[in-house]
Amino acid sequence: MSDDEQTAMIRETVARFVDRELIPLEPHYLKSKLPGSDHPEFTSEQRKRLRDVSKELGLWGLDAPEDLGGHDLPTRTMAAVHEELGRSCVPFVLPPDSPNLRMLQAVGTDAQKKKYLQPYIEGRMASAIAISEPGAGGDPAGMKTRAVLEGEQWVLNGRKIWISNARAADFIIVMARVGNDQRQGGITSFIVEKGTAGFIIEREIPMVGGGSTYEIVFEDCRIPKDSVLGEVGKGYAPMQLRLRTRRLEMGSTCVGITKRALDMMCEHAKQRETFGVKLAERQAIQWWIADISTRMHACRLMVREAADKTDRGEDIRHEASMIKVFATEMAYDACDHAMQTLGALGVTLELPLNALWQKARLMRVYEGPSEVHRQAIARRVLGLRGG
């Protein structure tokens, strides 16, 4: 089977899962996001069904290594997977979450892979990563959380913020600085297990879209010497590998969001009449549809090229930044135009458009805001230091 045939087959399987399992859950999920609602995002039965069905379809461990029970699918195929998942506002992640998988796979020791990566792939463990700090969000090289080796233990002190999944995680990858080097120098990654003394989830921070992130404090948090993930002082590159994986994934997800918004927009425009004329006949709507379709096609091609380069082992740092900016702004605009086309119906909380729009808005900020990426893109093109 060729890579293209394999990608088409996996895409079709994921599309069926989205159409049959996720989209029917959207009314339930959207009800949980209404102001003052105590309605759960998922019932335990719904969550179990999603896990059981996705596992039966062979959708777990898609890009995990074969020797650890995964399918080792190429990045291009994973782009198709995330594009299909992006069509629904229901937040379901196929185990395991790829970015942390890539980081563990790239620099984890055999013992760490056995202890953390294997159960992570099998869906028996959840993870999170702690990079951002109150004074170093879009500039991770400016982090101040420190780690000091005392005997056979590392002692962590510092504060991290905007951490997704912190409360549910069984272990967290924590980025901290070792020694007196500045900027990228000295940055090291550590694995900190849930329940470790001195690891404090200080507060939950409600976010746009109804989700939450967390602020975490490390107060003389002692972890074993072998908790280092990779090499001491060389954690910046693996962290960037993780970030690039997420940014490429976000590009695919945004194509899916855009496709769903465009479909809803077209369906409504062909049915709705104003002043005796279908919306689909109005130039303003036609231009929105044309522009969104063009941008979606371009974004899909950008993601595919970057995915192919990733599979060849090439550096996609520059492309990942361009995709991050282009894709998130495209998805935001697509949802915004769709909401405008649907009028009052488009801005209700009963349709998935609002949830997709909020998701796109969040993605313009996390994993590096658009402005930081634009600066990095320009500095690389200009050949300036720090690009």
Side-chain angles (χ1 to χ4, degrees), residues 14-280:
V14 177
R16 287 200 309 270
F17 175 74
V18 171
D19 290 336
R20 297 176 183 179
E21 303 295 336
L22 296 187
I23 289 179
L25 282 181
E26 288 181 343
H28 177 95
Y29 170 74
L30 292 170
K31 187 176 180 180
S32 73
K33 299 306 172 187
L34 294 175
S37 174
D38 58 359
H39 197 67
E41 286 188 0
F42 301 106
T43 65
S44 57
E45 293 81 8
Q46 289 169 339
R47 191 178 297 279
K48 182 178 186 303
R49 177 175 173 79
L50 290 177
R51 290 176 64 86
D52 289 348
V53 172
S54 59
K55 191 171 186 178
E56 288 171 7
L57 291 172
L59 298 178
W60 283 28
L62 292 177
D63 58 344
E66 290 184 350
D67 60 349
L68 293 178
H71 299 283
D72 201 20
L73 294 181
T75 308
R76 183 167 184 170
T77 303
M78 292 305 300
V81 169
H82 291 296
E83 181 178 327
E84 294 300 330
L85 290 172
R87 292 190 296 112
S88 176
C89 67
V90 174
F92 180 73
V93 177
L94 295 170
D97 192 25
S98 296
N100 290 352
L101 164 74
R102 292 296 186 199
M103 193 170 178
L104 283 163
Q105 187 178 343
V107 296
T109 64
D110 289 341
Q112 288 170 338
K113 290 178 181 178
K114 182 178 180 181
K115 184 175 182 180
Y116 302 107
L117 187 56
Q118 182 77 60
Y120 185 45
I121 290 171
E122 295 172 356
R124 295 186 287 110
M125 272 191 170
S127 74
I129 189 165
I131 300 175
S132 297
E133 298 182 2
D139 178 23
M143 66 179 65
K144 296 181 180 179
T145 296
R146 300 193 65 82
V148 178
L149 185 62
E150 295 185 0
E152 294 300 307
Q153 292 182 319
W154 288 98
V155 183
L156 296 177
N157 281 285
R159 182 179 296 268
K160 296 290 185 177
I161 199 168
W162 316 126
I163 312 305
S164 301
N165 207 41
R167 197 173 296 281
D170 297 288
F171 66 93
I172 294 183
I173 299 172
V174 180
M175 308 306 301
R177 190 176 297 281
V178 175
N180 297 316
D181 289 342
Q182 301 299 311
R183 303 298 296 163
Q184 299 178 16
I187 292 179
T188 307
S189 56
F190 299 87
I191 297 176
V192 180
E193 296 184 3
K194 179 171 64 177
T196 301
F199 166 49
I200 304 162
I201 298 179
E202 185 168 84
R203 65 180 177 125
E204 180 176 351
I205 309 169
M207 306 294 285
V208 167
S212 293
T213 60
Y214 297 86
E215 186 170 8
I216 298 172
V217 177
F218 298 94
E219 293 183 352
D220 291 330
C221 179
R222 295 180 176 271
I223 56 177
K225 187 177 181 180
D226 61 2
S227 295
V228 173
L229 181 60
E231 298 182 54
V232 173
K234 296 182 179 180
Y236 193 82
M239 178 185 72
Q240 288 298 322
L241 169 65
R242 187 260 176 206
L243 291 171
R244 288 195 293 275
T245 300
R246 178 68 83 200
R247 289 162 187 161
L248 192 57
E249 178 184 294
M250 289 169 69
S252 304
T253 299
C254 284
V255 173
I257 291 173
T258 301
K259 178 66 166 60
R260 182 75 184 282
L262 183 61
D263 287 346
M264 295 181 69
M265 184 178 179
C266 290
E267 181 181 0
H268 183 80
K270 288 186 288 186
Q271 295 175 358
R272 176 78 165 119
E273 282 190 10
T274 58
F275 305 101
V277 179
K278 298 283 189 184
L279 288 180

Side-chain angles (χ1 to χ4, degrees), residues 6 44 119 364:
Q6 182 185 54
S44 57
R364 289 172 57 193

Side-chain angles (χ1 to χ4, degrees), residues 354-374:
N354 183 271
L356 293 171
W357 173 68
Q358 292 187 65
K359 183 175 182 179
R361 186 63 187 86
L362 278 171
M363 286 195 288
R364 289 172 57 193
V365 173
Y366 72 72
E367 307 296 351
S370 298
E371 294 72 24
V372 170
H373 282 289
R374 280 192 165 92

